[in-house]
Amino acid sequence: MNFKDLTSKTLITDSDIDWEVLGNGVRRKIMVYDDSLMLVKVEFEKGAIGSVHNHPHLQLSYVAKGSFEVSMGEEKKILNEGDVFFAPTMVFHGVVCLENGLLIDVFNPHREDFL
C-alpha cells in the first residue's frame, strides 16, 4: 500500500499495510497520518536497539508488548507491556528491547522523514 493513500483513510485494517524492515531486528508500519498527527507500530526483536536520537516532534509511545529499557535525557527505566513514555520536543531518547516487543508511537506533527 502506498503511504500517500493512508492520509485519506479513517478506518484502517492492519493487514492492508505492509511492514517496512528497518534492519537490525526492527520493523515498522505507518498506520495513519495527517499533517498534525501520525501513528506508527514499531516491532523489535530481543536485543534490538532504537538508537538515541531527538526530533522536533512530540512523541508518545505505548508498550503494547514486551519489555524495553528506555532512556529519556539522562534517565533510564525499564518499561513493560501497558507502560508509556513521552518524548518532549528535542529531548534525546532511545530504547533497547529486552524481550520481543511492540511500541505504538504517536507523533505530532507527523514525521515527514518516515515518508
Side-chain angles (χ1 to χ4, degrees):
M1 168 171 270
N2 182 322
F3 288 138
K4 298 298 182 195
D5 295 339
L6 294 177
T7 58
S8 64
K9 294 184 80 175
T10 57
L11 301 172
I12 294 90
T13 304
D14 181 72
S15 61
D16 288 341
I17 302 169
D18 295 328
W19 286 100
E20 176 185 1
V21 176
L22 303 177
N24 299 315
V26 182
R27 63 185 191 158
R28 74 176 167 217
K29 282 188 182 192
I30 299 173
M31 299 302 295
V32 68
Y33 69 93
D34 67 9
D35 289 341
S36 63
L37 198 59
M38 175 181 267
L39 187 133
V40 180
K41 294 170 69 172
V42 187
E43 188 175 68
F44 293 80
E45 294 176 3
K46 181 179 180 177
I49 296 171
S51 299
V52 174
H53 64 287
N54 70 352
H55 43 72
H57 314 82
L58 294 174
Q59 176 180 343
L60 294 171
S61 294
Y62 173 76
V63 180
K65 177 182 166 192
S67 180
F68 294 84
E69 179 185 75
V70 180
S71 63
M72 187 67 58
E74 298 297 317
E75 297 183 46
K76 286 186 180 181
K77 187 171 186 176
I78 305 291
L79 296 181
N80 300 295
E81 188 173 324
D83 295 336
V84 174
F85 67 88
F86 172 62
T89 298
M90 301 309 291
V91 172
F92 283 94
H93 58 282
V95 300
V96 176
C97 186
L98 303 177
E99 59 183 70
N100 290 349
L102 177 70
L103 296 178
I104 307 298
D105 294 338
V106 178
F107 297 98
N108 175 12
H110 76 271
R111 295 284 305 261
E112 188 73 36
D113 56 320
F114 283 11
L115 305 176

